Amino acid sequence: MNCREKLKFARRIVIKVGTSTLTHNNNFNLNLYRIEHLIREIADLHNAGKEIIFVTSGAIAAGIGKMNLKNKPENIPENQALAAIGQGVLMHIYEKFFAEYGLTMGQILLTKDNATNEHARENSKNSLMALLQMGAIPVINENDAVAVDEIKIGDNDNLSAIVAVMIDAEVLIILTDIDGLYNKNPKVSGDAKILHEVKKIDDAVEKMAGGAGTKLGTGGMFTKIQAAKLTTQNNIPTVIVSGKEIENLRRVLNGEEIGTIFSA
Ligand code: GLU
């Protein structure tokens, strides 16, 4: 069975959704249509017997939208405050949509310390596992309101990989604003080609990832490759796929060859 086929049987699945997927691209407002569709898909996967762990970005963007700001502030305390505001806005919406499908979610906010320090990490894991056992859906973000640079993971791609390893997930799916990994930057090279499978993350692959990110999301392809490095070293395949069409989630889990799979 090839690595795509195996995804059909994945039971414990980490889904990471980036800010660009959760917001409209002309302003900082939440894309409610897409969020509703996403939560419905997660609910349906849950009903099909899967264990879904949802890693969400978008807190700072939601805060900016709520406060009607034009831009992301430069200073750290304001960003922390916006994360505090936006995290509540996001959870309110997720809670509402999950409740419509009769499901319960539980929020876990992690920092670098409680995600990586051995003892604290065990506690985080126990909490996550207890949520799964109760049949609730863990919804995870970094604790941006208190985490400053020294204690920050910094981007949710790496956070989702850490979580996937922590709970022995069978696959990590990263929904983003690009179809997958291209051999060169598709925004500048018209002949750029998508790589549907990466077997080994070597220097050439890292070079393809470049730097870039969006105006709101922290990670670009670079942090996604870092994430895939960590997961694949721990035998967890990772798929990067466009989240503009939420049905891509279902298509990936049906074994279709879309996006880029980093096979473990
Ligand atoms: N934790 C940040 C937020 O919720 C996002 C980090 C990222 O974009 O990776 O706004």
Side-chain angles (χ1 to χ4, degrees), residues 2-8 10 170-174 179-181 194-201 205 225 228 231-232 236-241 252-253 255-264:
N2 72 32
C3 59
R4 291 283 189 173
E5 286 280 303
K6 279 190 194 154
L7 298 184
K8 288 185 188 166
E170 283 151 80
V171 59
L172 165 64
I173 302 175
I174 296 180
D179 295 327
L181 177 67
I194 188 166
L195 278 77
H196 283 302
E197 183 177 357
V198 173
K199 290 202 168 111
K200 189 170 182 290
I201 301 173
V205 169
I225 302 289
T231 46
T232 52
I236 303 168
T238 294
V239 182
I240 297 172
V241 69
V252 166
L253 291 168
E256 279 188 48
E257 199 184 61
I258 54 169
T260 301
I261 187 165
F262 296 82
S263 40

Side-chain angles (χ1 to χ4, degrees), residues 27-219:
N27 58 33
F28 299 100
N29 295 332
L30 293 175
N31 187 326
L32 292 174
Y33 174 80
R34 209 181 272 150
I35 292 175
E36 183 167 15
H37 193 175
L38 171 69
I39 301 301
R40 191 171 68 222
E41 286 289 335
I42 293 178
D44 198 44
L45 288 166
H46 175 94
N47 286 352
K50 314 270 185 194
E51 287 178 333
I52 307 294
I53 298 92
F54 174 30
V55 178
T56 179
S57 297
I60 295 178
I64 295 174
K66 173 95 182 176
M67 302 313 283
N68 281 318
L69 303 182
K70 292 272 168 294
N71 289 301
K72 189 173 191 278
E74 296 287 327
N75 75 66
I76 294 172
E78 276 178 27
N79 275 297
Q80 289 176 304
L82 289 170
I85 293 166
Q87 184 67 25
V89 172
L90 268 184
M91 291 309 111
H92 179 73
I93 288 168
Y94 293 158
E95 168 77 42
K96 170 179 142 59
F97 287 143
F98 277 125
E100 277 178 17
Y101 302 107
L103 297 183
T104 303
M105 51 152 279
Q107 168 190 259
I108 298 187
L109 297 176
L110 294 172
T111 59
K112 191 176 187 175
D113 192 44
N114 59 33
T116 55
N117 166 297
E118 207 180 319
H119 178 67
R121 180 190 140 96
E122 202 53 33
N123 287 331
S124 307
K125 178 181 174 173
N126 291 343
S127 162
L128 260 163
M129 298 306 290
L131 276 173
L132 290 175
Q133 253 154 32
M134 288 176 186
I137 293 167
V139 180
I140 301 173
N141 195 358
E142 184 153 24
N143 196 349
D144 296 311
V146 296
V148 288
D149 273 356
E150 306 81 73
I151 55 159
K152 227 173 156 56
I153 296 163
D155 69 89
N156 280 7
D157 296 321
N158 278 291
L159 174 68
S160 65
I162 291 169
V163 167
V165 174
M166 186 191 283
I167 50 139
D168 296 319
E170 283 151 80
V171 59
L172 165 64
I173 302 175
I174 296 180
L175 295 177
T176 186
D177 57 354
I178 184 164
D179 295 327
L181 177 67
Y182 282 81
N183 61 346
K184 36 189 159 171
N185 187 345
K187 287 180 191 138
V188 271
S189 311
D191 61 344
K193 284 199 176 57
I194 188 166
L195 278 77
H196 283 302
E197 183 177 357
V198 173
K199 290 202 168 111
K200 189 170 182 290
I201 301 173
D202 54 18
D203 291 351
V205 169
E206 285 189 344
K207 226 169 158 186
M208 286 171 205
T214 58
K215 61 180 175 185
L216 274 179
T218 308

